[in-house]
Amino acid sequence: VERAMSRISANTKNPRDLAMLSLFIEKANNIFNELRESKNKILKELIPSEKNLALASKMRNLIVGQIHEMPPINLNDGGVIKDGVDKKLDDLRNIKNLKKSEILEFQSKYALATDVNNLKIKFNNFHGYFIETTNKNSEKIKQCNAINFRLIQNTINTSRFQTEELKETSLEIERSESESIELETNIYEKICLEISNKSDCINILSKKISFIDVISNFSILSNEKGYVKPDLVDNVSIEIVNGRHPVVEDSLEKEGINFTPNDCFMNSKNGTWLMTGPNMAGKSTFLRQIAIIILLNQIGCFIPAESAKLSIFDKIFTRIGASDNL
């Protein structure tokens, strides 16, 4: 949602960003409603202020009321703004639909006048709407006296014709489409501007939701993997009983193998260990296991160990083994 908001503010004209924002606000409200029903006071502190929630709901109502639920990716494709939002836009769309109905009537009329049943009216960006038939039936159209058909193009297998009324109708459709897209663009930009001016509200919601997302994942991971809460101590200390490397452990479990846990005891008096052993003996795994446990603790997650006492650290240095497939 933060990326979507930055694109909306930069006026990138992708209506799907507004649809994404609307969906985010809806889902975020569902999560905050869950927290309201909780008896845990700390969880209730994660709910944004009523002012922010009301502002977000107002933004969602604006989007839902004016933007189609699944709009096109490109604003220039049209069909972004809902019917009923702007009378002039509705009128322009009605002209387009009415004229397209006229074109279907022209096709029946021309087929009857020329006695060419496979005559079709088609469209391309160069000619607009035109009449197409096989070269075999081309002479029938040329010899028709009731309607003035003008030959505009010959291809290997087909001939293409135009009439004055078809050309005029084609131009009217083109004008109404161009005007409707221009009008849609103006409406869309006003919506984006209004939302951009209140972007702080969405930033607050997204930060709350991302925090809830992270701590929910921490709790699920800790519960499923049997992680424990370490004790935090003021003195320089690493006391880890039966620690495990979470990534290696997860990899071994898939092969039906248990990770062999190990201990680490270090303090200000015993702050250096020297590890020796052959390549692929597990030295790097142990080194980084300690680093990961310290990191998990300091980002607020339980750790893969039986128990631990840890102080707070400001740096981690570790190495990668010669043949490391982790």
Side-chain angles (χ1 to χ4, degrees):
V1 74
E2 287 170 330
R3 287 201 298 272
M5 279 303 298
S6 67
R7 289 193 295 266
I8 291 166
S9 299
N11 198 21
T12 55
K13 296 181 181 176
N14 182 346
R16 295 273 173 96
D17 288 327
L18 288 180
M20 188 190 298
L21 175 59
S22 171
L23 184 64
F24 167 76
I25 295 169
E26 180 191 0
K27 298 295 183 187
N29 277 329
N30 291 343
I31 291 168
F32 297 137
N33 286 335
E34 291 264 351
L35 295 182
R36 279 192 190 91
E37 293 171 10
S38 170
K39 294 177 182 177
N40 189 317
K41 290 182 180 178
I42 295 174
L43 288 181
K44 289 182 186 294
E45 290 175 13
L46 298 174
I47 303 170
S49 69
E50 288 302 320
K51 182 183 176 182
N52 271 312
L53 290 173
L55 200 56
S57 293
K58 188 178 177 183
M59 289 164 74
R60 182 170 185 270
N61 292 337
L62 177 66
I63 296 167
V64 170
Q66 301 197 28
I67 304 289
H68 278 290
E69 190 175 343
M70 189 52 71
I73 294 172
N74 192 336
L75 186 59
N76 292 328
D77 290 341
V80 173
I81 307 299
K82 286 183 173 180
D83 292 338
V85 171
D86 186 278
K87 187 179 182 303
K88 186 180 177 183
L89 180 60
D90 292 343
D91 290 342
L92 288 167
R93 284 174 175 169
N94 287 336
I95 289 170
K96 185 169 69 175
N97 295 332
L98 189 67
K99 293 299 176 183
K100 283 185 176 179
S101 297
E102 277 184 20
I103 283 172
L104 290 174
E105 290 171 11
F106 288 158
Q107 183 169 298
S108 301
K109 172 183 165 184
Y110 297 158
L112 194 65
T114 59
D115 196 27
V116 178
N117 292 328
N118 67 353
L119 175 151
K120 299 288 182 201
I121 292 182
K122 295 187 174 181
F123 176 86
N124 65 28
N125 290 329
F126 186 73
H127 296 300
Y129 287 93
F130 57 89
I131 301 135
E132 185 175 272
T133 187
T134 59
N135 287 335
K136 187 174 73 173
N137 290 318
S138 173
E139 284 303 315
K140 283 187 179 181
I141 293 178
K142 289 176 183 176
Q143 291 167 12
C144 178
N145 296 319
I147 299 167
N148 181 24
F149 290 98
R150 182 166 50 86
L151 181 67
I152 57 172
Q153 189 180 28
N154 275 327
T155 67
I156 295 171
N157 299 312
T158 63
S159 296
R160 292 172 175 176
F161 296 87
Q162 184 69 272
T163 67
E164 199 56 42
E165 61 183 353
L166 184 59
K167 183 181 178 182
E168 185 55 39
T169 302
S170 183
L171 288 171
E172 284 185 49
I173 290 172
E174 195 178 314
R175 280 195 294 268
S176 65
E177 283 183 340
S178 176
E179 285 181 39
S180 65
I181 287 170
E182 187 180 344
L183 189 52
E184 278 197 78
T185 302
N186 291 338
I187 296 167
Y188 175 84
E189 287 177 349
K190 283 179 184 176
I191 295 169
C192 288
L193 182 62
E194 188 170 340
I195 285 169
S196 297
N197 289 338
K198 300 180 178 75
S199 61
D200 288 349
C201 154
I202 298 302
N203 290 336
I204 290 167
L205 261 66
S206 67
K207 282 181 171 59
K208 295 280 187 182
I209 291 296
S210 63
F211 183 75
I212 291 165
D213 181 34
V214 170
I215 62 168
S216 298
N217 278 283
F218 284 170
S219 64
I220 291 166
L221 179 71
S222 301
N223 188 48
E224 288 180 352
K225 302 291 184 182
Y227 292 2
V228 299
K229 181 182 178 182
D231 293 328
L232 293 179
V233 293
D234 290 331
N235 56 310
V236 178
S237 177
I238 300 174
E239 292 184 22
I240 299 169
V241 179
N242 285 332
R244 288 133 36 215
H245 191 303
V247 184
V248 176
E249 180 182 46
D250 196 51
S251 179
L252 290 174
E253 274 180 6
K254 291 170 185 173
E255 300 174 25
I257 305 168
N258 290 326
F259 184 91
T260 304
N262 49 69
D263 302 337
C264 180
F265 297 97
M266 302 177 81
N267 53 40
S268 55
K269 293 178 182 177
N270 173 26
T272 305
W273 282 20
L274 176 66
M275 293 177 61
T276 63
N279 286 344
M280 304 305 290
K283 302 186 300 297
S284 293
T285 301
F286 179 77
L287 282 169
R288 283 178 295 160
Q289 173 187 311
I290 306 308
I292 289 172
I293 285 172
I294 287 167
L295 183 61
L296 284 171
N297 172 51
Q298 291 192 203
I299 63 172
C301 185
F302 286 7
I303 62 166
E306 185 180 306
S307 65
K309 289 182 180 178
L310 298 169
S311 51
I312 297 297
F313 296 89
D314 66 344
K315 295 179 185 71
I316 292 174
F317 301 92
T318 188
R319 69 180 290 276
I320 293 176
S323 301
D324 196 319
N325 296 319
L326 185 58

